Amino acid sequence: MKLICIGRNYTEHIKELENEKPKDPVVFLKPDTSILLKKQPFFIPDFSNDVHHEVEILVKINKVGKHIDKKFAHKYYNEIGLGIDFTARDLQSQLKAKGLPWEKAKAFDGAAVIGKWLPKNNFKNVDNIEFSLHKNDTIVQQGSTSLMLWKIDELIEYVSKYFTLKIGDIIFTGTPAGVGKVIANDKLKGYIENQELFSITVK
Ligand code: ZN
């Protein structure tokens, strides 16, 4: 399986990193080895002094597809989740400055947190899901899928032009504003509306 991640999908987050607004979605992959194992703490890797949390809505693919039209994209997933795209921001900035790929900064072991899954049918409208990240009981990131530049079905159409989507693949749909550094002993909890979907400790 693969993790397909979208960058720069929320205007306020593009502004906070002083990035340009893209004409097309920014896409990168994480390998399955980046998934943080259930109930494990997240260990800050020794090659970074500035690992950031990015909370993101996740979509789990349940049907094989290629060149999926956005009109039919809703048939390709029936679970919605929440996760973190951990990013070694210092390393990513160095790589970006040199025009190099980001994988070392985003695809390292443990860099993908995947919380519990919820049936898509729980939601009246997947384009209006509220979510948040709490760090040590303070809300640090808050978003709604209504603020995405590319909505879930449009992302499926776009990424499936390039990659065959397979059962079990997961799309990380991008982070809203409020990304920030984690330090040892931080506790991160992710919520969709008022349901807690993950709780992890940083070491
Ligand atoms: Zn991200």
Side-chain angles (χ1 to χ4, degrees):
M1 58 90 75
K2 56 189 173 294
L3 310 179
I4 302 169
C5 305
I6 305 301
R8 302 181 201 168
N9 202 19
Y10 289 85
T11 307
E12 293 303 315
H13 172 61
I14 294 170
K15 283 192 208 153
E16 73 181 344
L17 294 188
E18 296 178 354
N19 283 319
E20 270 174 52
K21 194 169 164 177
K23 286 192 202 74
D24 292 303
V26 172
V27 179
F28 56 95
L29 301 178
K30 294 192 193 232
D32 56 5
T33 46
S34 68
I35 296 170
L36 185 68
L37 298 176
K38 294 273 174 255
K39 303 207 165 121
Q40 291 300 304
F42 170 74
F43 286 92
I44 297 171
D46 59 7
F47 50 78
S48 177
N49 292 312
D50 194 24
V51 172
H52 281 196
H53 53 75
E54 296 191 352
V55 71
E56 311 200 357
I57 289 286
L58 311 183
V59 176
K60 196 197 275 180
I61 299 298
N62 69 342
K63 190 166 147 177
V64 177
K66 172 91 177 162
H67 294 300
I68 301 163
D69 190 285
K70 65 178 180 220
K71 284 203 297 281
F72 305 112
H74 64 96
K75 299 181 176 181
Y76 288 79
Y77 61 102
N78 58 13
E79 286 177 286
I80 298 286
L82 192 72
I84 298 178
D85 165 23
F86 274 120
T87 304
R89 195 72 71 202
D90 43 0
L91 182 53
Q92 187 198 25
S93 300
Q94 291 165 24
L95 294 166
K96 270 161 77 176
K98 293 182 189 154
L100 294 171
W102 299 348
E103 273 73 8
K104 287 191 288 184
K106 281 189 169 277
F108 57 87
D109 289 2
V113 174
I114 297 170
K116 281 184 233 154
W117 293 96
L118 300 172
K120 182 173 68 177
N121 294 341
N122 283 14
F123 302 98
K124 255 190 245 135
N125 178 3
V126 295
D127 294 331
N128 194 11
I129 298 174
E130 309 269 337
F131 60 100
S132 61
L133 182 72
H134 298 225
K135 185 168 86 173
N136 310 327
D137 297 321
T138 304
I139 298 178
V140 286
Q141 288 192 269
Q142 213 163 12
S144 165
T145 55
S146 63
L147 301 172
M148 286 178 169
L149 297 177
W150 288 278
K151 301 292 188 274
I152 291 171
D153 291 356
E154 292 169 322
L155 291 173
I156 288 175
E157 176 177 85
Y158 186 79
V159 298
S160 71
K161 285 183 198 173
Y162 299 90
F163 313 119
T164 297
L165 300 184
K166 294 177 75 176
I167 295 168
D169 287 350
I170 294 169
I171 303 177
F172 278 64
T173 59
T175 194
V179 301
K181 182 174 175 167
V182 295
I183 57 170
N185 302 317
D186 278 345
K187 248 213 153 50
L188 300 170
K189 291 183 182 186
Y191 293 83
I192 287 184
E193 282 138 23
N194 43 26
Q195 281 195 74
E196 184 185 303
L197 296 184
F198 63 77
S199 171
I200 60 159
T201 305
V202 177
K203 299 261 178 182

